[in-house]
Amino acid sequence: MQDEQGGRSRGRPRGTSARALEVIALDLYSTVGFEETTVEDIAAAGGVSRRTFFRYFDSKAAVLWNEFDNEVAALREAFDDVADNVPMMEAIRHVVVLVNRYTADDMPELRTRMHLIGSVPALQASAAPHYDAWERAVSDFAAIRTGQLADTLIPLAIGRTTLAACRAAYEQWIVIDGSDLTDHLDAALRALASGFA
Amino acid sequence: MQDEQGGRSRGRPRGTSARALEVIALDLYSTVGFEETTVEDIAAAGGVSRRTFFRYFDSKAAVLWNEFDNEVAALREAFDDVADNVPMMEAIRHVVVLVNRYTADDMPELRTRMHLIGSVPALQASAAPHYDAWERAVSDFAAIRTGQLADTLIPLAIGRTTLAACRAAYEQWIVIDGSDLTDHLDAALRALASGFA
DNA sequence: ACAATTATGGCACGCCGTGACGAATTGTAG
DNA sequence: CTACAATTCGTCACGGCGTGCCATAATTGT
């Protein structure tokens, strides 16, 4: 979003980028601690003022959710490309696993980010709106397949439970060192589709 | 907890009770609005100081979760009373529906509370630790039935997805006027146990 | 009376998030 | 070259939350 310099030529140049602040904040959160880090600290390390930080991010916690929000868009696109003959729960599983394929370079950052989200109460609290958007992407797909509206019981439940299963998978991935994320996701979603029988 | 006057005889008597502050706060949140209400307002309406409010509740949002936390204890007790021959997912469904049987008198307050939790972002954010405790109660039961540890993938997923389904049911109950809460819960948990097939 | 106990009130502080306003830095038109 | 428009930044101020700290009030037991 910020990268596109098409049209934006005039005006004072940015002192930094959202991505740069994100890296700095992620480092401080994981080394110093989230509560122990003030927004002033992040801004100073980024060479900008505290007020400018809040122009790049809505809150101290919002830094962690940039990549996650991107995944929601990827999720919707992947759902659009699913063939109609694939069963619903199977399609959901394939799409989720596909979207969660990260390169080896992104793994360390993903790991620290998920570890923070899973361990810091203030960050867990900030998850709600982002989780909602993710669930909604699944619910919309389930609505099409079931022929019901997205805000009715079954599509809603499918969206919510799918994320719930994925969160359990992510939690296992963080705890069990050296394990494969997609394996956990696949196992959790298979269990969900089988009704945990 | 506060009611037991066993041993606590000496000392200055309390100026109010947690329950009284809860009723006042619930009223202000639903009429004036959560963001528009300050802790100072609640304290003043309760005849105490702002500082005293924070001795009764950890945060402005914690007021809403008192009853919910009680349900977690009821959940655990109900799981202990389940017969061993009842299938796991069926047992979970029965227990959840049983615990969510409220009297007609409690319905209005439950409704306003759940409506607030479902509509105010700051309250959704405050849900995480309470949801975790609820999920954990289910995971512990699933751990016994599956013979696995409670913090492994399947029990974790069962706890998380069960709450996710219940949240979808609650949301429907709030939206659809005059509907029965236990019906939604039963339907959502049956769908979960069937793998949404 | 006096001590012990328990709850309260007031004060101060750090931090978060937001609004307002002027200054800084660039490109563009005249 | 100069005036102007556009965009970002920094500073200041404010309200609100949550938390120590300590003095004070209210009650019971000795």
Side-chain angles (χ1 to χ4, degrees), chain A residues 10-12 14-15 48-49 51-52 55-56:
Chain A
R10 283 191 295 190
R12 176 174 176 171
R14 294 179 178 276
V48 292
S49 72
R51 189 63 182 84
T52 296
R55 290 196 179 94
Y56 282 84

Side-chain angles (χ1 to χ4, degrees), chain B residues 10 12 14-15 49 51-52 55-56:
Chain B
R10 285 191 295 190
R12 176 174 176 170
R14 295 178 179 277
S49 71
R51 188 65 183 85
T52 295
R55 288 199 180 91
Y56 282 84

Side-chain angles (χ1 to χ4, degrees), chain A residues 59-166:
Chain A
S59 71
K60 184 182 173 184
V63 182
L64 271 289
W65 297 100
N66 245 358
E67 304 295 324
F68 186 90
D69 291 345
N70 292 341
E71 184 178 306
V72 175
L75 209 59
R76 299 201 103 100
E77 294 176 9
F79 275 129
D80 289 340
D81 297 345
V82 172
D84 292 346
N85 59 341
V86 182
M88 180 180 66
M89 294 305 287
E90 197 175 328
I92 290 176
R93 178 165 51 85
H94 286 151
V95 164
V96 169
V97 171
L98 175 68
V99 169
N100 279 278
R101 287 234 170 88
Y102 295 95
T103 67
D105 297 342
D106 298 337
M107 278 300 181
E109 184 176 320
L110 178 66
R111 201 175 191 91
T112 56
R113 178 163 40 234
M114 297 312 292
H115 180 260
L116 281 170
I117 291 173
S119 60
V120 178
L123 292 175
Q124 292 173 358
S126 68
H130 309 277
Y131 284 169
D132 270 359
W134 196 98
E135 292 164 351
R136 184 60 192 238
V138 179
S139 292
D140 285 344
F141 175 73
I144 296 173
R145 285 305 186 92
T146 60
Q148 303 177 18
L149 293 176
D151 56 350
T152 54
L153 185 62
I154 300 303
L156 261 178
I158 292 174
R160 288 244 152 95
T161 55
T162 299
L163 176 66
C166 291

Side-chain angles (χ1 to χ4, degrees), chain B:
Chain B
M1 311 289 196
Q2 278 100 348
D3 299 343
E4 51 180 359
Q5 56 223 26
R8 185 182 59 77
S9 55
R10 285 191 295 190
R12 176 174 176 170
R14 295 178 179 277
T16 182
S17 66
R19 174 62 186 159
L21 286 178
E22 184 180 337
V23 172
I24 293 172
L26 204 60
D27 175 62
L28 289 177
Y29 290 168
S30 58
T31 57
V32 183
F34 180 81
E35 300 292 348
E36 290 74 17
T37 303
T38 68
V39 175
E40 176 69 39
D41 295 335
I42 306 170
V48 293
S49 71
R50 198 178 72 96
R51 188 65 183 85
T52 295
F53 173 90
F54 285 111
R55 288 199 180 91
Y56 282 84
F57 298 101
D58 289 336
S59 71
K60 183 183 173 183
V63 182
L64 271 291
W65 297 101
N66 245 359
E67 303 295 324
F68 186 90
D69 291 345
N70 292 341
E71 184 178 305
V72 175
L75 209 60
R76 300 202 102 100
E77 293 175 9
F79 275 130
D80 289 340
D81 296 345
V82 172
D84 292 346
N85 59 342
V86 182
M88 179 180 65
M89 294 305 287
E90 196 173 331
I92 291 176
R93 178 164 52 86
H94 287 150
V95 164
V96 169
V97 170
L98 176 69
V99 170
N100 278 279
R101 287 234 170 87
Y102 295 96
T103 67
D105 298 342
D106 298 337
M107 278 300 182
E109 184 176 321
L110 178 66
R111 203 174 189 90
T112 56
R113 178 163 41 235
M114 296 311 292
H115 180 260
L116 281 170
I117 291 174
S119 60
V120 178
L123 292 175
Q124 293 173 358
S126 68
H130 309 276
Y131 284 168
D132 270 0
W134 197 97
E135 292 164 352
R136 183 60 192 237
V138 180
S139 292
D140 285 345
F141 175 73
I144 295 174
R145 285 306 186 92
T146 60
Q148 304 176 17
L149 294 175
D151 57 350
T152 54
L153 184 61
I154 300 302
L156 261 178
I158 293 174
R160 289 243 152 96
T161 56
T162 299
L163 175 66
C166 291
R167 291 215 297 140
Y170 260 98
E171 201 163 311
Q172 285 297 292
W173 177 62
I174 293 297
V175 172
I176 303 177
D177 200 71
S179 62
D180 188 23
L181 172 59
T182 57
D183 288 346
H184 294 297
L185 288 170
D186 192 80
L189 292 176
R190 278 183 193 277
L192 175 65
S194 75
F196 301 104

